[in-house]
Amino acid sequence: MEIERINDNTVKFYISYLDVEERGFSRDEIWFNRDKSEELFWEMMDEVNEEADFVMEGPLWIQVQAMEKGLEVTVTRAQLTKDGQKLDLPDDIEERRKMFASEDTETAEFDEFEPVFDEPEVKKLEYTFVFSEVEELLPIARRLIYVPIESSVYHFENKYYLHTSFDEVLHSEEDIKNNVSIISEYLRSSPVTIHRLEEYGNPVFKEDALANILHYFG
């Protein structure tokens, strides 16, 4: 993790998705699981405190930017006091949550605490390919075995169709282009939409099509 001290009250740090996974978290967890995202955040802040001497006192303003290969986080602490004393941040995560609750609330509910990472607006890019035999997908499945692609296969009007979906959080523009190029080496693109396939076609694999191809034909 890379740490940059901006000023006395602001620190910026960058953490790669690889580092996130090595810490025991997945990308989906940090975006969509509030408990996990908060756990990761405080773990990173403890490291920031040690390396950049950034003492966490009082409420924090947090800005998170999703980068191609990781997250850039900017944290600014508010200079607030309570009863004339600075607010020290406790070690227990539940106690930390209470600091952000109303002073009139004896026990803070989790809903009082805003999620550390706001859920991103995910744009999905979809592609459909047509082919004659299911086995034609096998070399594609082998080459893309470690690529997280949403995929499904339908049989429609005597042909098979592979529908793939990518999102901009997990895939860069270059990654999507490269993966589509690999598929295009074996299959022809098709204008048939997933909605038409779902309505009129017969599903072979509704999800995880490439993984299932490897399982049953590999």
Side-chain angles (χ1 to χ4, degrees):
M1 188 170 73
E2 301 175 10
I3 303 172
E4 178 185 359
R5 185 68 178 266
I6 305 301
N7 53 43
D8 289 343
N9 298 317
T10 302
V11 66
K12 179 186 293 186
F13 54 92
Y14 172 84
I15 183 170
S16 68
Y17 289 126
L18 179 60
D19 192 359
V20 168
E21 292 172 356
E22 289 178 347
R23 292 168 185 259
F25 302 89
S26 69
R27 296 191 193 185
D28 285 345
E29 284 178 336
I30 63 175
W31 285 119
F32 305 117
N33 186 311
R34 183 179 293 183
D35 287 335
K36 290 295 184 180
S37 66
E38 197 173 71
E39 182 182 345
L40 173 63
F41 173 76
W42 291 121
E43 180 180 310
M44 293 188 296
M45 287 305 299
D46 287 339
E47 186 174 329
V48 168
N49 184 31
E50 292 179 4
E51 296 189 16
D53 192 26
F54 186 79
V55 180
M56 295 173 287
E57 297 176 333
L60 304 174
W61 276 261
I62 306 156
Q63 180 182 3
V64 181
Q65 182 177 359
M67 312 292 284
E68 179 180 342
K69 296 183 179 180
L71 301 172
E72 184 180 84
V73 184
T74 303
V75 180
T76 300
R77 60 188 175 192
Q79 296 299 294
L80 299 181
T81 60
K82 185 177 182 180
D83 299 328
Q85 300 294 324
K86 289 186 177 181
L87 297 177
D88 294 326
L89 204 63
D91 294 330
D92 184 74
I93 193 169
E94 292 299 329
E95 293 300 320
R96 290 176 176 181
R97 289 173 179 162
K98 293 178 184 179
M99 292 180 59
F100 290 81
S102 169
E103 292 184 11
D104 297 328
T105 304
E106 183 174 350
T107 302
E109 296 295 333
F110 184 69
D111 288 341
E112 297 283 337
F113 193 91
E114 293 298 323
V116 175
F117 300 127
D118 292 329
E119 180 175 328
E121 181 179 350
V122 178
K123 178 181 178 182
K124 288 187 176 294
L125 301 177
E126 303 181 14
Y127 301 86
T128 303
F129 303 87
V130 59
F131 54 102
S132 301
E133 301 292 339
V134 174
E135 288 81 356
E136 294 179 53
L137 294 178
L138 192 54
I140 300 172
R142 286 171 176 163
R143 292 182 65 178
L144 301 180
I145 185 173
Y146 298 116
V147 179
I149 300 176
E150 295 181 23
S151 58
S152 56
V153 172
Y154 288 83
H155 188 253
F156 174 60
E157 294 184 345
N158 298 319
K159 294 183 181 298
Y160 290 97
Y161 291 84
L162 170 68
H163 178 264
T164 59
S165 178
F166 304 84
D167 71 63
E168 294 185 333
V169 173
L170 297 178
H171 303 273
S172 67
E173 183 177 346
E174 183 178 356
D175 288 338
I176 295 174
K177 182 179 178 180
N178 291 337
N179 294 328
V180 171
S181 295
I182 290 174
I183 300 174
S184 298
E185 291 179 22
Y186 303 91
L187 309 179
R188 291 183 293 109
S189 62
S190 170
V192 177
T193 66
I194 184 60
H195 306 292
R196 189 176 181 188
L197 293 174
E198 289 176 338
E199 186 171 358
Y200 300 107
N202 295 316
V204 179
F205 297 113
K206 286 187 176 182
E207 58 184 19
D208 299 326
L210 295 179
N212 279 306
I213 290 296
L214 274 179
H215 178 74
Y216 291 105
F217 298 93

